[in-house]
mmCIF file of all heavy atoms in Angstrom:
data_model
loop_
_atom_site.group_PDB
_atom_site.id
_atom_site.type_symbol
_atom_site.label_atom_id
_atom_site.label_comp_id
_atom_site.label_asym_id
_atom_site.label_seq_id
_atom_site.Cartn_x
_atom_site.Cartn_y
_atom_site.Cartn_z
ATOM 1 N N ASP A 23 29.262 35.949 -20.590
ATOM 2 C CA ASP A 23 29.497 34.580 -20.590
ATOM 3 C C ASP A 23 30.907 34.173 -21.068
ATOM 4 O O ASP A 23 31.156 33.007 -21.233
ATOM 5 C CB ASP A 23 28.477 33.962 -21.655
ATOM 6 C CG ASP A 23 26.960 33.876 -21.089
ATOM 7 O OD1 ASP A 23 26.863 34.092 -19.930
ATOM 8 O OD2 ASP A 23 26.150 34.103 -21.956
ATOM 9 N N GLY A 24 31.779 35.223 -21.342
ATOM 10 C CA GLY A 24 33.107 34.855 -21.668
ATOM 11 C C GLY A 24 33.821 35.870 -22.395
ATOM 12 O O GLY A 24 33.218 36.971 -22.799
ATOM 13 N N TYR A 25 35.061 35.852 -22.601
ATOM 14 C CA TYR A 25 35.870 36.808 -23.333
ATOM 15 C C TYR A 25 35.338 36.919 -24.731
ATOM 16 O O TYR A 25 35.064 35.937 -25.429
ATOM 17 C CB TYR A 25 37.312 36.332 -23.389
ATOM 18 C CG TYR A 25 38.260 37.430 -24.125
ATOM 19 C CD1 TYR A 25 38.434 38.584 -23.582
ATOM 20 C CD2 TYR A 25 38.772 37.080 -25.448
ATOM 21 C CE1 TYR A 25 39.399 39.509 -24.071
ATOM 22 C CE2 TYR A 25 39.472 38.075 -26.007
ATOM 23 C CZ TYR A 25 39.873 39.242 -25.424
ATOM 24 O OH TYR A 25 40.547 40.217 -26.089
ATOM 25 N N ALA A 26 35.291 38.334 -25.196
ATOM 26 C CA ALA A 26 34.838 38.599 -26.473
ATOM 27 C C ALA A 26 33.323 38.298 -26.755
ATOM 28 O O ALA A 26 32.888 38.312 -27.880
ATOM 29 C CB ALA A 26 35.684 37.895 -27.549
ATOM 30 N N ARG A 27 32.518 37.903 -25.778
ATOM 31 C CA ARG A 27 31.231 37.616 -25.936
ATOM 32 C C ARG A 27 30.399 38.814 -25.347
ATOM 33 O O ARG A 27 30.463 39.180 -24.249
ATOM 34 C CB ARG A 27 30.785 36.312 -25.205
ATOM 35 C CG ARG A 27 31.544 35.144 -25.641
ATOM 36 C CD ARG A 27 31.086 33.739 -24.980
ATOM 37 N NE ARG A 27 31.583 32.590 -25.519
ATOM 38 C CZ ARG A 27 31.247 31.968 -26.527
ATOM 39 N NH1 ARG A 27 30.196 32.365 -27.325
ATOM 40 N NH2 ARG A 27 32.017 30.874 -27.102
ATOM 41 N N SER A 28 29.499 39.236 -26.200
ATOM 42 C CA SER A 28 28.748 40.369 -25.818
ATOM 43 C C SER A 28 27.540 40.089 -25.001
ATOM 44 O O SER A 28 27.228 38.881 -24.858
ATOM 45 C CB SER A 28 28.257 41.181 -27.126
ATOM 46 O OG SER A 28 27.714 42.461 -26.889
ATOM 47 N N THR A 29 26.814 41.067 -24.440
ATOM 48 C CA THR A 29 25.693 40.844 -23.561
ATOM 49 C C THR A 29 24.713 41.930 -24.073
ATOM 50 O O THR A 29 24.999 42.952 -24.744
ATOM 51 C CB THR A 29 26.021 41.190 -22.125
ATOM 52 O OG1 THR A 29 26.273 42.679 -22.053
ATOM 53 C CG2 THR A 29 27.116 40.257 -21.701
ATOM 54 N N PRO A 30 23.426 41.775 -23.704
ATOM 55 C CA PRO A 30 22.431 42.857 -24.074
ATOM 56 C C PRO A 30 22.814 44.256 -23.542
ATOM 57 O O PRO A 30 22.507 45.192 -24.170
ATOM 58 C CB PRO A 30 21.120 42.309 -23.509
ATOM 59 C CG PRO A 30 21.340 40.818 -23.535
ATOM 60 C CD PRO A 30 22.763 40.499 -23.199
ATOM 61 N N ALA A 31 23.400 44.247 -22.333
ATOM 62 C CA ALA A 31 23.712 45.568 -21.736
ATOM 63 C C ALA A 31 24.921 46.246 -22.485
ATOM 64 O O ALA A 31 24.956 47.346 -22.734
ATOM 65 C CB ALA A 31 24.107 45.431 -20.286
ATOM 66 N N THR A 32 25.819 45.413 -22.950
ATOM 67 C CA THR A 32 26.972 45.742 -23.754
ATOM 68 C C THR A 32 26.421 46.409 -25.070
ATOM 69 O O THR A 32 26.759 47.519 -25.556
ATOM 70 C CB THR A 32 27.998 44.631 -24.078
ATOM 71 O OG1 THR A 32 28.373 44.181 -22.914
ATOM 72 C CG2 THR A 32 29.094 45.187 -24.910
ATOM 73 N N ASP A 33 25.545 45.598 -25.829
ATOM 74 C CA ASP A 33 25.082 46.021 -27.104
ATOM 75 C C ASP A 33 24.331 47.415 -26.996
ATOM 76 O O ASP A 33 24.381 48.337 -27.716
ATOM 77 C CB ASP A 33 24.205 44.988 -27.744
ATOM 78 C CG ASP A 33 24.786 43.794 -28.140
ATOM 79 O OD1 ASP A 33 26.023 43.890 -28.287
ATOM 80 O OD2 ASP A 33 24.235 42.710 -28.176
ATOM 81 N N ALA A 34 23.511 47.543 -25.916
ATOM 82 C CA ALA A 34 22.777 48.794 -25.578
ATOM 83 C C ALA A 34 23.570 49.850 -25.250
ATOM 84 O O ALA A 34 23.390 51.014 -25.808
ATOM 85 C CB ALA A 34 21.715 48.547 -24.369
ATOM 86 N N ALA A 35 24.672 49.738 -24.607
ATOM 87 C CA ALA A 35 25.698 50.589 -24.181
ATOM 88 C C ALA A 35 26.392 51.244 -25.466
ATOM 89 O O ALA A 35 26.672 52.422 -25.615
ATOM 90 C CB ALA A 35 26.643 50.123 -23.202
ATOM 91 N N ILE A 36 26.696 50.274 -26.433
ATOM 92 C CA ILE A 36 27.395 50.736 -27.668
ATOM 93 C C ILE A 36 26.532 51.660 -28.438
ATOM 94 O O ILE A 36 26.866 52.642 -28.958
ATOM 95 C CB ILE A 36 27.737 49.456 -28.556
ATOM 96 C CG1 ILE A 36 28.913 48.585 -27.827
ATOM 97 C CG2 ILE A 36 28.293 49.726 -29.968
ATOM 98 C CD1 ILE A 36 29.213 47.382 -28.481
ATOM 99 N N ASP A 37 25.219 51.274 -28.422
ATOM 100 C CA ASP A 37 24.232 52.109 -29.202
ATOM 101 C C ASP A 37 24.109 53.632 -28.542
ATOM 102 O O ASP A 37 24.087 54.490 -29.224
ATOM 103 C CB ASP A 37 22.834 51.454 -29.232
ATOM 104 C CG ASP A 37 22.830 50.261 -30.022
ATOM 105 O OD1 ASP A 37 23.643 50.050 -31.006
ATOM 106 O OD2 ASP A 37 21.764 49.571 -29.810
ATOM 107 N N VAL A 38 24.147 53.568 -27.201
ATOM 108 C CA VAL A 38 23.969 54.934 -26.479
ATOM 109 C C VAL A 38 25.235 55.732 -26.717
ATOM 110 O O VAL A 38 25.181 56.916 -27.021
ATOM 111 C CB VAL A 38 23.881 54.701 -25.022
ATOM 112 C CG1 VAL A 38 23.977 55.929 -24.301
ATOM 113 C CG2 VAL A 38 22.421 54.080 -24.789
ATOM 114 N N ALA A 39 26.448 54.977 -26.593
ATOM 115 C CA ALA A 39 27.646 55.722 -26.949
ATOM 116 C C ALA A 39 27.745 56.439 -28.402
ATOM 117 O O ALA A 39 28.151 57.502 -28.477
ATOM 118 C CB ALA A 39 28.799 54.851 -26.757
ATOM 119 N N ARG A 40 27.235 55.635 -29.368
ATOM 120 C CA ARG A 40 27.258 56.064 -30.706
ATOM 121 C C ARG A 40 26.292 57.277 -30.887
ATOM 122 O O ARG A 40 26.674 58.349 -31.385
ATOM 123 C CB ARG A 40 26.788 54.974 -31.554
ATOM 124 C CG ARG A 40 26.835 55.365 -33.109
ATOM 125 C CD ARG A 40 26.194 54.261 -33.964
ATOM 126 N NE ARG A 40 24.883 54.015 -33.605
ATOM 127 C CZ ARG A 40 24.368 52.880 -33.214
ATOM 128 N NH1 ARG A 40 25.105 51.828 -32.934
ATOM 129 N NH2 ARG A 40 23.092 52.796 -32.917
ATOM 130 N N ASP A 41 25.079 57.082 -30.325
ATOM 131 C CA ASP A 41 24.135 58.135 -30.657
ATOM 132 C C ASP A 41 24.153 59.299 -29.797
ATOM 133 O O ASP A 41 23.831 60.327 -30.149
ATOM 134 C CB ASP A 41 22.586 57.422 -30.338
ATOM 135 C CG ASP A 41 22.306 56.364 -31.356
ATOM 136 O OD1 ASP A 41 22.950 56.125 -32.404
ATOM 137 O OD2 ASP A 41 21.529 55.370 -30.853
ATOM 138 N N ALA A 42 24.591 59.219 -28.587
ATOM 139 C CA ALA A 42 24.635 60.341 -27.611
ATOM 140 C C ALA A 42 26.007 61.001 -27.565
ATOM 141 O O ALA A 42 26.050 62.250 -27.293
ATOM 142 C CB ALA A 42 24.072 59.857 -26.235
ATOM 143 N N LEU A 43 27.028 60.206 -27.760
ATOM 144 C CA LEU A 43 28.430 60.805 -27.472
ATOM 145 C C LEU A 43 29.204 60.727 -28.796
ATOM 146 O O LEU A 43 30.469 61.336 -28.777
ATOM 147 C CB LEU A 43 29.011 59.907 -26.489
ATOM 148 C CG LEU A 43 28.424 59.945 -25.002
ATOM 149 C CD1 LEU A 43 29.149 59.006 -24.155
ATOM 150 C CD2 LEU A 43 28.431 61.293 -24.521
ATOM 151 N N GLY A 44 28.785 59.968 -29.822
ATOM 152 C CA GLY A 44 29.543 59.970 -31.127
ATOM 153 C C GLY A 44 30.712 59.106 -30.923
ATOM 154 O O GLY A 44 31.832 59.226 -31.668
ATOM 155 N N LEU A 45 30.706 58.093 -30.047
ATOM 156 C CA LEU A 45 31.743 57.172 -29.795
ATOM 157 C C LEU A 45 31.539 55.881 -30.511
ATOM 158 O O LEU A 45 30.536 55.266 -30.467
ATOM 159 C CB LEU A 45 31.981 56.874 -28.456
ATOM 160 C CG LEU A 45 32.374 58.099 -27.440
ATOM 161 C CD1 LEU A 45 32.526 57.656 -26.101
ATOM 162 C CD2 LEU A 45 33.608 58.800 -27.879
ATOM 163 N N ASP A 46 32.641 55.334 -31.189
ATOM 164 C CA ASP A 46 32.514 54.071 -31.790
ATOM 165 C C ASP A 46 33.156 52.997 -30.855
ATOM 166 O O ASP A 46 34.405 52.944 -30.901
ATOM 167 C CB ASP A 46 33.255 54.093 -33.220
ATOM 168 C CG ASP A 46 33.214 52.787 -33.875
ATOM 169 O OD1 ASP A 46 32.419 52.016 -33.510
ATOM 170 O OD2 ASP A 46 34.124 52.747 -34.748
ATOM 171 N N LEU A 47 32.393 52.268 -30.224
ATOM 172 C CA LEU A 47 32.875 51.285 -29.119
ATOM 173 C C LEU A 47 32.774 49.903 -29.754
ATOM 174 O O LEU A 47 32.158 49.654 -30.858
ATOM 175 C CB LEU A 47 32.116 51.444 -27.803
ATOM 176 C CG LEU A 47 32.110 52.894 -27.199
ATOM 177 C CD1 LEU A 47 31.461 52.719 -25.799
ATOM 178 C CD2 LEU A 47 33.476 53.398 -27.006
ATOM 179 N N GLU A 48 33.273 48.784 -28.980
ATOM 180 C CA GLU A 48 33.196 47.513 -29.580
ATOM 181 C C GLU A 48 32.666 46.569 -28.205
ATOM 182 O O GLU A 48 32.682 47.139 -27.185
ATOM 183 C CB GLU A 48 34.404 47.048 -30.117
ATOM 184 C CG GLU A 48 35.698 47.520 -29.337
ATOM 185 C CD GLU A 48 35.844 46.816 -27.952
ATOM 186 O OE1 GLU A 48 35.837 45.673 -27.845
ATOM 187 O OE2 GLU A 48 36.034 47.614 -26.971
ATOM 188 N N SER A 49 32.396 45.420 -28.405
ATOM 189 C CA SER A 49 31.665 44.699 -27.462
ATOM 190 C C SER A 49 32.697 43.859 -26.565
ATOM 191 O O SER A 49 32.276 43.318 -25.614
ATOM 192 C CB SER A 49 30.740 43.622 -28.239
ATOM 193 O OG SER A 49 31.347 42.780 -29.100
ATOM 194 N N THR A 50 33.972 43.734 -26.926
ATOM 195 C CA THR A 50 34.916 43.077 -26.077
ATOM 196 C C THR A 50 35.376 43.818 -24.889
ATOM 197 O O THR A 50 35.440 43.244 -23.778
ATOM 198 C CB THR A 50 36.087 42.588 -26.893
ATOM 199 O OG1 THR A 50 35.568 41.680 -28.058
ATOM 200 C CG2 THR A 50 37.073 41.771 -26.056
ATOM 201 N N TYR A 51 35.670 45.120 -25.014
ATOM 202 C CA TYR A 51 36.264 45.914 -23.961
ATOM 203 C C TYR A 51 35.362 47.099 -23.676
ATOM 204 O O TYR A 51 34.631 47.203 -22.686
ATOM 205 C CB TYR A 51 37.542 46.399 -24.424
ATOM 206 C CG TYR A 51 38.733 45.337 -24.412
ATOM 207 C CD1 TYR A 51 38.848 44.343 -25.484
ATOM 208 C CD2 TYR A 51 39.584 45.203 -23.305
ATOM 209 C CE1 TYR A 51 39.850 43.475 -25.427
ATOM 210 C CE2 TYR A 51 40.475 44.276 -23.246
ATOM 211 C CZ TYR A 51 40.670 43.306 -24.271
ATOM 212 O OH TYR A 51 41.637 42.449 -24.110
ATOM 213 N N THR A 52 35.428 48.154 -24.541
ATOM 214 C CA THR A 52 34.855 49.442 -24.301
ATOM 215 C C THR A 52 33.264 49.373 -24.007
ATOM 216 O O THR A 52 32.693 50.117 -23.268
ATOM 217 C CB THR A 52 35.199 50.453 -25.320
ATOM 218 O OG1 THR A 52 35.037 49.900 -26.573
ATOM 219 C CG2 THR A 52 36.731 50.800 -25.081
ATOM 220 N N GLY A 53 32.596 48.527 -24.769
ATOM 221 C CA GLY A 53 31.168 48.373 -24.588
ATOM 222 C C GLY A 53 30.800 48.069 -23.140
ATOM 223 O O GLY A 53 29.785 48.408 -22.593
ATOM 224 N N LYS A 54 31.570 47.088 -22.604
ATOM 225 C CA LYS A 54 31.241 46.681 -21.217
ATOM 226 C C LYS A 54 31.574 47.754 -20.241
ATOM 227 O O LYS A 54 30.947 47.863 -19.147
ATOM 228 C CB LYS A 54 32.059 45.298 -21.068
ATOM 229 C CG LYS A 54 31.551 44.217 -21.771
ATOM 230 C CD LYS A 54 32.422 42.923 -21.584
ATOM 231 C CE LYS A 54 31.760 41.828 -22.559
ATOM 232 N NZ LYS A 54 32.495 40.501 -22.416
ATOM 233 N N ALA A 55 32.696 48.556 -20.439
ATOM 234 C CA ALA A 55 32.969 49.727 -19.648
ATOM 235 C C ALA A 55 31.833 50.652 -19.597
ATOM 236 O O ALA A 55 31.393 51.188 -18.565
ATOM 237 C CB ALA A 55 34.334 50.326 -19.885
ATOM 238 N N MET A 56 31.421 51.008 -20.747
ATOM 239 C CA MET A 56 30.283 51.973 -20.941
ATOM 240 C C MET A 56 28.986 51.323 -20.258
ATOM 241 O O MET A 56 28.217 52.094 -19.652
ATOM 242 C CB MET A 56 30.009 52.235 -22.337
ATOM 243 C CG MET A 56 28.838 53.169 -22.629
ATOM 244 S SD MET A 56 29.032 54.841 -21.787
ATOM 245 C CE MET A 56 30.231 55.608 -22.822
ATOM 246 N N ALA A 57 28.798 50.167 -20.272
ATOM 247 C CA ALA A 57 27.589 49.528 -19.737
ATOM 248 C C ALA A 57 27.572 49.542 -18.222
ATOM 249 O O ALA A 57 26.531 49.914 -17.569
ATOM 250 C CB ALA A 57 27.541 48.032 -20.113
ATOM 251 N N ALA A 58 28.907 49.501 -17.588
ATOM 252 C CA ALA A 58 28.943 49.833 -16.097
ATOM 253 C C ALA A 58 28.715 51.295 -15.820
ATOM 254 O O ALA A 58 27.882 51.454 -14.790
ATOM 255 C CB ALA A 58 30.362 49.363 -15.818
ATOM 256 N N LEU A 59 29.125 52.151 -16.606
ATOM 257 C CA LEU A 59 28.893 53.561 -16.383
ATOM 258 C C LEU A 59 27.402 53.961 -16.484
ATOM 259 O O LEU A 59 26.893 54.670 -15.558
ATOM 260 C CB LEU A 59 29.709 54.488 -17.327
ATOM 261 C CG LEU A 59 29.701 56.012 -17.099
ATOM 262 C CD1 LEU A 59 30.879 56.614 -17.771
ATOM 263 C CD2 LEU A 59 28.389 56.570 -17.852
ATOM 264 N N LEU A 60 26.691 53.473 -17.443
ATOM 265 C CA LEU A 60 25.275 53.608 -17.802
ATOM 266 C C LEU A 60 24.496 53.080 -16.527
ATOM 267 O O LEU A 60 23.551 53.753 -16.131
ATOM 268 C CB LEU A 60 24.863 53.182 -18.998
ATOM 269 C CG LEU A 60 25.302 53.859 -20.321
ATOM 270 C CD1 LEU A 60 25.012 53.043 -21.568
ATOM 271 C CD2 LEU A 60 24.796 55.380 -20.411
ATOM 272 N N ASP A 61 24.855 51.895 -16.065
ATOM 273 C CA ASP A 61 24.183 51.296 -14.972
ATOM 274 C C ASP A 61 24.350 52.105 -13.813
ATOM 275 O O ASP A 61 23.313 52.378 -13.023
ATOM 276 C CB ASP A 61 24.626 49.928 -14.740
ATOM 277 C CG ASP A 61 23.834 49.246 -13.698
ATOM 278 O OD1 ASP A 61 22.718 48.648 -14.157
ATOM 279 O OD2 ASP A 61 24.168 49.003 -12.600
ATOM 280 N N ASP A 62 25.357 52.625 -13.433
ATOM 281 C CA ASP A 62 25.693 53.427 -12.313
ATOM 282 C C ASP A 62 25.064 54.824 -12.377
ATOM 283 O O ASP A 62 24.417 55.233 -11.417
ATOM 284 C CB ASP A 62 27.209 53.535 -11.920
ATOM 285 C CG ASP A 62 27.817 52.170 -11.418
ATOM 286 O OD1 ASP A 62 27.097 51.357 -11.194
ATOM 287 O OD2 ASP A 62 28.939 52.197 -11.212
ATOM 288 N N ALA A 63 25.023 55.421 -13.571
ATOM 289 C CA ALA A 63 24.626 56.668 -13.730
ATOM 290 C C ALA A 63 23.042 56.812 -13.609
ATOM 291 O O ALA A 63 22.491 57.845 -13.229
ATOM 292 C CB ALA A 63 25.012 57.196 -15.128
#
């Protein structure tokens, strides 16, 4: 919905990145990139 606004897919991707990969992501940039990767994978 806008810059720096998270989405459910972003929040879920942040959780996966933390639990599965040990990555500390955030919701403005990297969480959205991870959401795209997870969706395609």
Side-chain angles (χ1 to χ4, degrees):
D23 293 333
Y25 179 75
R27 295 183 182 276
S28 192
T29 68
T32 301
D33 294 338
I36 292 171
D37 290 342
V38 170
R40 181 192 62 244
D41 297 339
L43 301 173
L45 298 179
D46 181 20
L47 306 185
E48 42 67 57
S49 59
T50 302
Y51 286 83
T52 50
K54 292 179 179 180
M56 179 59 75
L59 184 154
L60 289 173
D61 186 77
D62 287 359

